[in-house]
Amino acid sequence: CDLETLSLFFYPRLMDVLEVPAEYDSLNLTSEGTVKQLPPLVRLQVEHLKPTSVYLMDCGVNLYLWIGGQVS
């Protein structure tokens, strides 16, 4: 387990999938297909979760998808 994975375990990254900017497309990928830049991060607190949005949480080992109750 490296230091980056360990830090994500204690401080996971949370991204609002529906708030990804329009300019965030294949231009943000390297020639190997890896992402150059992550979408804007959301502070990991329940007060910041909107019931009308979808979030992806990266804790280093697993990815979790949270879908708000009012997403249609």
Side-chain angles (χ1 to χ4, degrees):
C1 182
D2 63 3
L3 187 57
E4 182 181 357
T5 303
L6 187 60
S7 68
L8 284 174
F9 182 75
F10 291 105
Y11 302 104
R13 290 187 282 223
L14 184 68
M15 295 157 266
D16 188 338
V17 177
L18 299 181
E19 293 294 326
V20 174
E23 66 272 3
Y24 193 84
D25 55 13
S26 60
L27 297 177
N28 285 312
L29 298 177
T30 64
S31 59
E32 294 84 30
T34 57
V35 176
K36 292 181 193 175
Q37 178 182 359
L38 290 173
L41 299 179
V42 177
R43 194 170 176 132
L44 190 57
Q45 292 179 331
V46 70
E47 295 87 19
H48 293 99
L49 299 178
K50 298 180 282 189
T52 57
S53 200
V54 177
Y55 296 90
L56 181 67
M57 185 174 75
D58 176 10
C59 66
V61 178
N62 296 312
L63 293 172
Y64 297 96
L65 187 66
W66 184 84
I67 302 172
Q70 296 177 9
V71 172
S72 56

